[in-house]
Amino acid sequence: MREDWMEIDYKEVVNKVSTNNKKLKQKEYLQKGAYPVIDQGQELIGGYTDDETRLLDCALPAIVFGDHTKIVKLINFKFAPGADGTKVLEPKKFVLPKYLSYLTQILVFKIKDKGYARHYQHIEKQSFPIAPLPEQRAIVSKIEQVFSELDNGIANLKAAKDKLEIYRQAVLKKAFEGDFTTEYRLRKTGRSDKSKWESDNLKNRTTQITKGSTPTTYGFKYLDDGINFIKVENITNGKVDLNSITQFIGLDAHEFQKRSQLAVNDILFSIAGTIGETVILKKEHLPANTNQALAIIRGFEESLLPDYLLYLLRSFVALTVKSKARGGAMNNVSLGDLKKLEILIPPKDEQTVILSEIESRLSVCDNILANIEEGLEKSEALRQSILKQAFEGKLLSEEELEACRKEPDWEPAEKLLARIKNTKKESTEA
């Protein structure tokens, strides 16, 4: 820490703004309205309201901190607060709001994720270095300059990722329209048309389409170890991430939820939340059970290869299900919707060829995607490194620091804080 900086507790630099009688529950949000609702979600604006009485009376810009999500937002317009986990903080006048916003991101990065527990109690106990006001301005300006360049790179990576997803869907669309096997059909049957393909609904090609339930509803408790309880968030890029499973159930709960005991080659398909996440279960995932957010598709006809159905579900079936999604913030579809889905089924040997064509193309796609994800991870690490340097006093050059010291309002942070305390004391005595 620089000698003209001062260590101070986080709770000393903010005023906590009361949100009593102002908070809106998510079910009260409007899609459009006169006033924005700011909550702890990822999006800057969670929804809208027309109720002017819900607007928060606070100095702007204000920091909105997600007590459960650790999301940090700097808001410079009038807003109504969301109900759950929305902490609103007014930076005091000796700290710039943007400076404190960036600093809060650093403090958030340091604390361990407490799941859906409260996090602000850990933030307010931490201390941090406060710089003189001209240095705060210079630090904010430098961060924004560097972040602008970094954000351009991140935007390019995300654009490339979006294009890959479009390419992936195009590959699957062509595969299931028979475009990749036209010559194969011609060699095998002397005809290039799809006369041997069958059309049927998913229900008629499987023995069971069901779903699980939440064990706690029936009095069972989640355990720290035991039988895997797989949820939507445990499925990433078409695979079950066993390391991400944090809730387990005992044999008693597993036996009680016999209908949703999972087996090898079962396909899980998400019907709530993120619609269309799919995975085929392997031996290493078992024993396992699941909840009502995942449909279980099992018992395929011998004429239907499980991997063929898996890719089919990831393509037009997934898109069709998304178009049928119902609900508000938590989209969902019914098992009935899934059972009625029409699927095109070529002969089994042609399914094998289609799978080979898909996998050869998507393997290249997956390698590029892995490089993009690595680039995004490095970008986030670089962002944290830049913030760390900023609040260790290492971001500004000597020339930039000298310019700060020539500013009319420059003074050591200790002197600034002492002056503010004296002003408050005089106001109290008067």
Side-chain angles (χ1 to χ4, degrees):
M1 186 175 73
R2 304 185 65 85
E3 61 182 18
D4 48 10
W5 290 21
M6 184 176 178
E7 196 86 9
I8 190 168
D9 290 341
Y10 189 91
K11 62 184 177 183
E12 296 297 322
V13 302
V14 295
N15 295 315
K16 285 192 281 189
V17 180
S18 172
T19 57
N20 291 341
N21 303 319
K22 303 288 185 181
K23 298 178 287 188
L24 282 110
K25 296 180 180 179
Q26 197 172 57
K27 63 183 180 181
E28 298 176 289
Y29 293 5
L30 303 176
Q31 289 189 346
K32 294 181 180 180
Y35 311 108
V37 179
I38 307 298
D39 58 19
Q40 65 168 348
Q42 288 279 356
E43 297 298 324
L44 179 65
I45 296 174
Y48 294 88
T49 180
D50 287 328
D51 187 353
E52 188 176 3
T53 65
R54 297 299 187 100
L55 290 178
L56 205 58
D57 182 18
C58 65
L60 298 173
I63 291 174
V64 175
F65 178 74
D67 210 3
H68 300 303
T69 63
K70 300 193 296 182
I71 299 294
V72 181
K73 301 176 184 179
L74 185 64
I75 307 300
N76 60 1
F77 49 80
K78 284 286 187 180
F79 67 95
D84 189 34
T86 304
K87 291 281 185 184
V88 181
L89 310 167
E90 286 179 341
K92 293 185 178 178
K93 62 180 180 179
F94 55 84
V95 59
L96 297 179
K98 281 188 178 180
Y99 180 90
L100 188 59
S101 175
Y102 285 130
L103 182 99
T104 307
Q105 292 176 38
I106 277 285
L107 297 182
V108 162
F109 188 72
K110 288 181 179 179
I111 63 174
K112 291 182 179 180
D113 192 343
K114 307 292 182 181
Y116 203 68
R118 300 279 179 173
H119 292 88
Y120 182 70
Q121 59 183 320
H122 304 286
I123 292 287
E124 68 177 355
K125 294 175 184 176
Q126 295 193 58
S127 61
F128 71 92
I130 188 167
L133 281 170
E135 285 189 47
Q136 290 184 37
R137 290 195 294 267
I139 287 170
V140 167
S141 178
K142 193 70 172 283
I143 289 174
E144 289 181 338
Q145 177 188 339
V146 179
F147 276 12
S148 176
E149 297 169 4
L150 182 61
D151 288 342
N152 285 337
I154 292 173
N156 290 335
L157 286 173
K158 288 182 176 179
K161 188 176 179 180
D162 290 342
K163 287 179 181 177
L164 273 182
E165 184 56 33
I166 293 170
Y167 171 74
R168 187 187 297 274
Q169 289 298 328
V171 166
L172 295 176
K173 184 174 183 291
K174 283 181 174 291
F176 298 119
E177 287 177 350
D179 290 2
F180 294 156
T181 47
T182 302
E183 292 185 7
Y184 175 81
R185 291 192 298 273
L186 188 60
R187 289 196 307 270
K188 185 174 177 64
T189 67
R191 299 177 60 177
S192 62
D193 60 54
K194 296 181 287 185
S195 57
K196 298 290 185 181
W197 288 38
E198 298 178 36
S199 177
D200 206 347
N201 61 49
L202 189 58
K203 179 183 177 181
N204 291 338
R205 292 290 175 161
T206 58
T207 59
Q208 189 176 22
I209 298 176
T210 186
K211 62 180 179 180
S213 56
T214 302
T216 53
T217 304
Y218 304 100
F220 298 103
K221 293 183 178 180
Y222 290 117
L223 308 176
D224 293 331
D225 197 10
I227 291 167
N228 292 328
F229 196 72
I230 299 173
K231 297 187 287 186
V232 175
E233 53 264 39
N234 304 129
I235 301 174
T236 306
N237 297 326
K239 297 178 181 178
V240 175
D241 181 5
L242 291 174
N243 293 327
S244 72
I245 298 176
T246 57
Q247 292 180 325
F248 304 85
I249 59 173
L251 279 172
D252 52 350
H254 189 54
E255 283 300 315
F256 183 81
Q257 296 194 181
K258 186 176 286 290
R259 183 184 65 180
S260 51
Q261 291 178 3
L262 302 176
V264 172
N265 280 345
D266 278 355
I267 288 180
L268 298 182
F269 184 95
S270 60
I271 55 175
T274 306
I275 306 297
E277 289 286 350
T278 55
V279 68
I280 188 165
L281 291 177
K282 308 295 184 183
K283 187 176 180 180
E284 60 264 28
H285 302 139
L286 306 175
N289 213 299
T290 190
N291 64 11
Q292 62 271 29
L294 287 166
I296 307 163
I297 306 169
R298 63 166 54 120
F300 322 110
E301 283 191 356
E302 191 175 334
S303 61
L304 183 59
L305 295 174
D307 284 329
Y308 179 85
L309 178 57
L310 183 73
Y311 280 116
L312 197 60
L313 285 165
R314 288 178 184 169
S315 62
F316 71 88
V317 173
L319 295 174
T320 303
V321 169
K322 285 179 182 179
S323 72
K324 291 176 176 288
R326 294 182 292 271
M330 180 68 78
N331 286 337
N332 63 83
V333 297
S334 70
L335 291 181
D337 290 329
L338 201 54
K339 291 174 182 178
K340 293 174 186 175
L341 288 172
E342 292 292 323
I343 56 176
L344 288 172
I345 308 168
K348 200 171 181 180
D349 59 320
E350 191 172 347
Q351 291 179 41
T352 302
V353 177
I354 289 172
L355 284 173
S356 177
E357 294 289 341
I358 289 173
E359 288 168 356
S360 67
R361 288 166 172 81
L362 293 192
S363 63
V364 176
C365 189
D366 289 340
N367 288 336
I368 297 172
L369 181 60
N371 290 332
I372 291 174
E373 294 289 0
E374 183 181 357
L376 289 171
E377 287 179 14
K378 287 181 177 178
S379 297
E380 182 55 34
L382 179 57
R383 186 186 297 275
Q384 292 299 328
S385 175
I386 291 166
L387 289 174
K388 185 172 182 289
Q389 288 181 55
F391 296 105
E392 287 178 350
K394 299 176 182 177
L395 192 62
L396 300 181
S397 67
E398 282 302 321
E399 291 79 10
E400 290 167 325
L401 286 171
E402 188 59 34
C404 289
R405 294 186 186 106
K406 292 178 181 178
E407 292 287 330
D409 60 344
W410 188 92
E411 58 185 340
E414 185 176 7
K415 186 175 179 181
L416 170 65
L417 294 175
R419 183 167 55 80
I420 290 170
K421 285 181 180 178
N422 287 337
T423 302
K424 289 171 65 178
K425 183 179 179 182
E426 290 170 5
S427 299
T428 304
E429 291 174 351

